[in-house]
Amino acid sequence: MPSPSPPACVPGQRLPALLSYLCWVSYPGNTTPVGCRRLPAVLRAAVRAVALGSMNKTHPQRNGDVAAFGSAKSSSEERDRCHPRSCTWRRVCISAMALLVLVATVGLAVVLGLLSRVPVNRFCAASNNRTGFLCDDKVTCVPASQVCNTVSNCRSGEDEQEELCGDLPRSLPGHLVFRCSNPAYWVYADQRCNGMNDCGDCSDETGNLAACPPCGSEWWNCSPVLYEYCSCIPRRLCRDGIQHCHSWSDEYICRP
């Protein structure tokens, strides 16, 4: 059975006819799908039922009036039958509008997706001017070394979320991480220049990589004996009867 021609542009029947045509062209060869023949009648009946139901809600009519309305509608549809060229342009306009709506919807979804992925600035300065992690309340600043320590320091627990702590240190914001001279090791940013040998090779305390200031007033500058210190020892260790500096300056010169 040959495929039908594209639907005529009759008001009230465009959608059923168009769907029937699309149903026909979706079948290859000369097959005759029964559903395609029944589709227009079913859809037209549904459209008429909805239209009559809507009119009866606003303008209740008797049975004779409904019949008269149906006759008048048929005559009006026949008069309003448009020229094939005009029908084609209408279909083109409808398709273009549908395409624009689709593009706008996809564009909006993409924009919203990009906005949701914009990283939040979590940088803050904790006590003693240490690098910290800013909580969602924009007030609480958690020291870097207390992030992902299995203890929630933020009210909503964002400093312990899987997204942040799932793949240390790659999952952490860059400002929370200090890379040691040995690429296999890293420490939290607030452990840099804290006087302790956290990297194991003192790269977090000495050299251009760390760029630490000179020892503060609470520290004594010497070459430490103990492995845990790098270039300074705490003054509280001075004159405690134990050698902490190779020169013994902590016992003879330094004062706590």
Side-chain angles (χ1 to χ4, degrees), residues 60-255:
Q61 299 175 349
R62 296 184 301 275
N63 292 338
D65 295 336
V66 173
F69 170 76
S71 300
K73 181 179 179 182
S74 299
S75 300
S76 175
E77 290 176 351
E78 290 296 326
R79 288 195 305 270
D80 292 340
R81 182 181 296 274
C82 63
H83 192 273
R85 181 178 298 176
S86 175
C87 180
T88 300
W89 278 109
R90 289 183 184 180
R91 289 201 297 270
V92 170
C93 291
I94 293 174
S95 300
M97 291 178 64
L99 180 60
L100 288 176
V101 171
L102 178 61
V103 171
T105 303
V106 173
L108 181 60
V110 171
V111 170
L112 292 177
L114 292 177
L115 289 178
S116 63
R117 296 180 181 180
V118 173
V120 179
N121 184 9
R122 297 285 190 178
F123 177 82
C124 63
S127 59
N128 297 326
N129 203 30
R130 293 187 297 169
T131 302
F133 175 86
L134 185 63
C135 298
D136 287 343
D137 60 9
K138 305 300 182 184
V139 176
T140 307
C141 186
V142 181
S145 55
Q146 296 182 21
V147 175
C148 300
N149 64 346
T150 70
V151 178
S152 295
N153 297 285
C154 294
R155 181 176 302 178
S156 301
E158 53 268 24
D159 59 316
E160 299 296 328
Q161 290 180 350
E162 178 65 22
E163 181 180 358
L164 181 69
C165 307
D167 186 20
L168 300 177
R170 286 184 289 270
S171 56
L172 289 173
H175 74 276
L176 295 180
V177 178
F178 175 82
R179 298 283 182 173
C180 302
S181 60
N182 184 343
Y185 296 98
W186 66 277
V187 297
Y188 283 100
D190 62 341
Q191 294 175 318
R192 180 183 68 89
C193 302
N194 66 348
M196 308 297 294
N197 184 13
D198 296 295
C199 281
D201 58 1
C202 286
S203 59
D204 58 311
E205 299 296 325
T206 60
N208 295 330
L209 189 62
C212 296
C215 298
S217 58
E218 297 182 357
W219 296 80
W220 175 254
N221 189 1
C222 73
S223 178
V225 174
L226 299 179
Y227 181 75
E228 60 182 321
Y229 302 111
C230 293
S231 61
C232 306
I233 64 169
R235 281 188 176 270
R236 58 181 174 80
L237 300 179
C238 292
R239 298 181 183 266
D240 63 350
I242 301 174
Q243 180 188 10
H244 298 286
C245 298
H246 285 286
S247 62
W248 287 89
S249 61
D250 58 307
E251 295 300 318
Y252 296 102
I253 303 175
C254 173
R255 294 186 179 277

